[in-house]
C-alpha cells in the first residue's frame, strides 16, 4: 500500500490525549519535552495537528483565544514539524489552515529567527521583540515593595488588573494559574494590588510569567520574591522596551539566551498597556 502524501493528510484538532505525542514532537526538534506546558496549552486553547501514518505527529501547533465571547485576539504557538518532514511545506500548510480558521480574529505570535520568514510570507508583521533570559537569581538590594502569596480572595482584583494591562479578557488563563504554577504572588500598596506574577515549572527551571506590574520597581520586587521561594534557575521572556528590568535581571545572574520577534496579523500593535506588561505567561500563548 502506498504511503499517503503529506498534502493529503488531514489536519485535525488535538486534545489532551495528544500531550505525549506533542512532547515527542518537541523532543524530535531538539526542544525540551515541556509536557506540563503542552497540557496547559491543550486545555486552555485549541491544538491543531497532522497525524503521521507511521505513528506520532507530522506537525502541531496551538491557538489560545482571548475575549469574553467572540475572540478579540488569538495567540499562535508551538508550531512544530517533525524533522523527517521538514522543508516540505507542512508548516506552511498548517499555518494557512489556522489563519483561515481564525477568520477576522487578530493574531499574534513570537517567532524565532528561523520561523520568521514563513510568518512574513503569510502576512504577519513584526510589531515588537522579546528577550529570553535564564539563570540563577543572585539577589542583592531589592526595591521596597510589599509582595505576598496570592489567595483566592485576590482573584477578582487580579483579573481586573490583567484585563486592563493585557487589553482583553483572559480569565480562562488566569484562573488556571493556581493549578499550573508553583507560585502565584501579588504586589500590594495601601491594600491595592499593583502587580502579580507566577512561576511555573518547566523542565529544570521556573518560568516567570505572566509578569504584570505598575512599574519596573514592582516588577523587580515580584521577580525577587519568586526567586526567594525556589531553588531552580529562573527563565522569562521580557519585552525589550523594558530596558531597565533587563539590565537589572542580568546584574543578578540571568543571561540572555535568545531573541524572538513579536509578530501580528490583522492589527498594527497589540492591545493593552505594554508599559505594565513585562512578560507573557509563555511565548506560546502571548
Amino acid at each position: 500500500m502506498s504511503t499517503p502524501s503529506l498534502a493529503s493528510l488531514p489536519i485535525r484538532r488535538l486534545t489532551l490525549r495528544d500531550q505525549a505525542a506533542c512532547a515527542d514532537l518537541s523532543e524530535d526538534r531538539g526542544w525540551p519535552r515541556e509536557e506540563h506546558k503542552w497540557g496547559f496549552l491543550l486545555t486552555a486553547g485549541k491544538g491543531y495537528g497532522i497525524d503521521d501514518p507511521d505513528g506520532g505527529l507530522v506537525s502541531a501547533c496551538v491557538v489560545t483565544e482571548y475575549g469574553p465571547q467572540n475572540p478579540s485576539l488569538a495567540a499562535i504557538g508551538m508550531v512544530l514539524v517533525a524533522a523527517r518532514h521538514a522543508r516540505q511545506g507542512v508548516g506552511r500548510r498548517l499555518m494557512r489552515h489556522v489563519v483561515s480558521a481564525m477568520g477576522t480574529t487578530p493574531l499574534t505570535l513570537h517567532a524565532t529567527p528561523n520561523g520568521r520568514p514563513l510568518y512574513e510570507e503569510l502576512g504577519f508583521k513584526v510589531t515588537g521583540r522579546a528577550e529570553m533570559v535564564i539563570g540563577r537569581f543572585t539577589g542583592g538590594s531589592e526595591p521596597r515593595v510589599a509582595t505576598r502569596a496570592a489567595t483566592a480572595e485576590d482573584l477578582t482584583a487580579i483579573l481586573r488588573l490583567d484585563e486592563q494591562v493585557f487589553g482583553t479578557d483572559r480569565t480562562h488563563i488566569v484562573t488556571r494559574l493556581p493549578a499550573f504554577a508553583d507560585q502565584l504572588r501579588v504586589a500590594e500598596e495601601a491594600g491595592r494590588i499593583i502587580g502579580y506574577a507566577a512561576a511555573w515549572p518547566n523542565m529544570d527551571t521556573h518560568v516567570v510569567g505572566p509578569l504584570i506590574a505598575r512599574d519596573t520597581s514592582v516588577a523587580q520586587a515580584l521577580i525577587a520574591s519568586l526567586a526567594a521561594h525556589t531553588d531552580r534557575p529562573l527563565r522569562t521572556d521580557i519585552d525589550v522596551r523594558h530596558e531597565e528590568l533587563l539590565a537589572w535581571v542580568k546584574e543578578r545572574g540571568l543571561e540572555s539566551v535568545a531573541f524572538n520577534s513579536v509578530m501580528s496579523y490583522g492589527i498594527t500593535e497589540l492591545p493593552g498597556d505594554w508599559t505594565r506588561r513585562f512578560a507573557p505567561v509563555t511565548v506560546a500563548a502571548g
Side-chain angles (χ1 to χ4, degrees):
M1 184 179 295
S2 61
T3 302
S5 69
L6 289 176
S8 69
L9 295 174
I11 297 171
R12 69 171 176 90
R13 284 282 300 276
L14 302 177
T15 72
L16 196 57
R17 291 189 298 273
D18 298 297
Q19 182 177 356
C22 290
D24 290 343
L25 188 58
S26 290
E27 201 167 50
D28 174 73
R29 295 315 306 257
W31 291 18
R33 288 186 61 82
E34 300 185 309
E35 289 193 50
H36 184 59
K37 182 169 79 172
W38 273 112
F40 178 78
L41 294 170
L42 289 170
T43 53
K46 298 176 179 177
Y48 293 87
I50 301 173
D51 290 311
D52 191 327
D54 296 325
L57 291 169
V58 170
S59 184
C61 74
V62 291
V63 179
T64 308
E65 297 175 341
Y66 297 107
Q69 295 176 341
N70 296 325
S72 55
L73 180 70
I76 300 173
M78 307 302 283
V79 182
L80 285 164
V81 177
R84 60 192 177 281
H85 299 300
R87 301 189 181 281
Q88 298 180 55
V90 180
R92 181 179 293 102
R93 179 179 167 227
L94 183 60
M95 280 295 301
R96 287 190 186 282
H97 177 88
V98 169
V99 171
S100 176
M102 294 310 300
T104 59
T105 301
L107 306 174
T108 183
L109 56 79
H110 282 66
T112 64
N114 288 337
R116 178 174 163 177
L118 168 61
Y119 305 129
E120 288 179 329
E121 178 186 323
L122 295 172
F124 285 79
K125 307 292 185 185
V126 175
T127 54
R129 202 163 179 240
E131 183 173 358
M132 181 190 294
V133 290
I134 187 170
R136 291 196 175 276
F137 187 87
T138 56
S141 59
E142 307 304 343
R144 295 180 179 275
V145 177
T147 65
R148 59 171 173 80
T151 68
E153 288 71 30
D154 296 319
L155 183 57
T156 299
I158 289 173
L159 287 169
R160 186 184 306 117
L161 174 63
D162 188 82
E163 185 169 356
Q164 291 172 1
V165 175
F166 192 73
T168 188
D169 183 279
R170 55 176 180 175
T171 298
H172 65 304
I173 294 292
V174 176
T175 53
R176 282 179 165 87
L177 290 176
F180 175 63
D182 285 344
Q183 295 187 63
L184 181 61
R185 299 186 66 82
V186 296
E188 271 188 320
E189 183 180 80
R192 184 170 62 92
I193 291 176
I194 56 174
Y196 85 97
W200 50 271
N202 192 31
M203 311 306 288
D204 62 346
T205 69
H206 266 129
V207 177
V208 176
L211 176 55
I212 300 290
R214 183 187 62 191
D215 52 37
T216 300
S217 65
V218 175
Q220 290 170 346
L222 284 165
I223 291 175
S225 66
L226 292 170
H229 292 84
T230 179
D231 57 1
R232 298 188 187 194
L234 298 183
R235 197 187 95 192
T236 191
D237 297 84
I238 298 174
D239 186 319
V240 296
R241 290 172 291 187
H242 291 296
E243 297 177 359
E244 184 181 352
L245 183 65
L246 279 165
W248 182 84
V249 295
K250 290 173 185 177
E251 290 169 358
R252 284 156 178 77
L254 277 66
E255 297 180 352
S256 177
V257 292
F259 287 91
N260 287 322
S261 298
V262 181
M263 306 187 76
S264 62
Y265 179 97
I267 48 174
T268 55
E269 61 181 77
L270 294 178
D273 180 3
W274 75 265
T275 66
R276 293 185 287 166
R277 186 176 58 234
F278 289 83
V281 179
T282 162
V283 294

